[in-house]
Amino acid sequence: MPNPFARLSSALQPARSIVPMAAWQGGESTRLTASWWTPAASINGDLEMQLPTLRARSRWLVENNGYCAGFADSVEDGIIGPRGVQLRGQVRTRDGMFATSTNDAIEAGWADWGLPEHCDVARRLSWLDLQRLAARTVAVDGECFIRTWRGADNPHGFALQVIDTDLVDHTCRRAAAPGLNEIRMGIELDRFGGAVAYHVLTRHPSDGVARERLRIPAEDMLHLFIPLRAGQIRGVPWLAPVITDAQMLDGYEEAALVAMRLQASQMGILVPGDDAAPPPGKRDVLFQAAPGQFRMIPKGYTVHDWQPKSVAHDVQPFTTAILRCMARGARVSAMTLSGDLSEANYSSLRAGQAPERDAWRYLHQWIIPRLHRPTYRRWLPIALLAGQIAVDSRLASNYQAVAWKGRGWVSVDPYKDMQALQIAIGLGVNSRTKFLAEQGEDFEETIDELHDEQAYADLEGVSIAGPETLSAPVQDAPADTKTPKQTARATHRSVLRRVAAGVSG
């Protein structure tokens, strides 16, 4: 006999969908995501289609948007700093001691090469200028190309050339074939995807003149960019995630400004009465308002006030929200992007600057092996052959033993940090060298400066152990017993005394 409850039991079972549910709701195709077009293309395929447009829009924003222009400046300051990444010689003798004279010679030769007439093949950019331009170009264009010239016309026989990103021909393409490497977006690749050469135009594509391509071997080119995906061969502008936000903010600020200007003006509508004369030429009756002026209303007309709705109270919240989004996408703090310190205090400054400074420190470590170290290793052998460095050939280590010191930052609260440093040094958990490096200073230079200060103070009879006090009366020595250095210092003191007397008088 059939079970009477069988049909009821089957009806109570939950209905099963014939479409399997996705593990991630973000991957489902529903009516809410129907307009979300997300093609699964390769990173290089996307760049082939969009890179020129992204680069042009990023440049436009930096040229026309104050926030984006400030972002580009912040990249220069954050990665390179006011003095650039400094080279410090680390060559040692066979007994493990630093070879001071050789290290000094290397540092002096490097500093001489860094002059504009030696560093840049066009004799325009110093090494500091070139570092800052490279960092800025990577951020704005997404990448930077720097050609190295061996045999340059300068005493060092070596120079660099920053190449406009547009010149690495984005349209140059060739499929791999027997005996031929693949070329994609102007970069010639080996079978592993490594760069073999770069195909560079001799003139900018917008010049409208005949141009040709040069094949520059990869060993003569530095290509700086931060890849976002595996296999990526060209860089993405850092402002790419916020280009739309920045454009919308521009449009909103323009509309808000127009609305507030209208609101601040004398606005009204002239309504004609029954006895109003017709406007001349069948045109509307218009007049302009100016401060301190009264207007005579035409006969037969009445004025009705017209005040546009105020948008002033909406501008700040909207702008703040957009800037926060842009700051996250541009990898800087909202305070850095906006330059607004009105609500900043000690705690908020430390909380906001700490992660941002960690990001800058990472970028220090990123740029050094891609720009500074390869440049030094190309310059060194040529400079040695050219006689620009006087080194001791008996040393145990090679002359490539150098260290690179990035920029540092001044503390938000120096007094508290000095107290913490004193305790840390007393406990043996920190060092003066590390602390000075975090401030962008060098321990050896500081010690040398302190030595020179002490020697000069002793010469002048001044105690600098605490507050400056004279340990002995300062008297000029007889002229015949003075050294040239003492004579110069005495003259300098005399000038300062006369200036001080004139100011006090």
Side-chain angles (χ1 to χ4, degrees), residues 1 19 44 48 61 63 74-75 125-127 130 142 144 174 205 213 227 265 292-293 312 363 385 455 494 498 501 503:
M1 180 177 179
V19 179
N44 293 319
E48 282 182 319
L61 286 173
E63 293 167 356
S74 297
V75 169
L125 302 175
S126 69
W127 174 232
L130 195 144
C144 180
R174 182 179 71 192
R213 293 194 192 102
S265 302
Q293 290 185 357
L363 291 172
L385 291 175
S494 177
R498 290 197 298 271
V503 171

Side-chain angles (χ1 to χ4, degrees), residues 28-98:
E28 293 181 359
S29 296
T30 67
R31 62 182 180 81
L32 299 179
T33 60
S35 62
W36 194 349
W37 186 61
T38 53
S42 70
I43 181 67
N44 293 319
D46 288 339
L47 289 174
E48 282 182 319
M49 293 187 296
Q50 296 185 339
L51 180 56
T53 302
L54 286 174
R55 190 163 58 225
R57 290 178 177 176
S58 177
R59 291 173 179 172
W60 187 94
L61 286 173
V62 171
E63 293 167 356
N64 296 277
N65 182 288
Y67 298 117
C68 295
F71 162 76
D73 293 337
S74 297
V75 169
E76 291 185 30
D77 296 334
I79 301 178
I80 304 301
R83 294 184 295 180
V85 179
Q86 302 288 311
L87 178 143
R88 292 290 177 262
Q90 301 288 303
V91 180
R92 297 179 181 268
T93 61
R94 285 186 169 85
D95 57 1
M97 301 298 291
F98 280 113

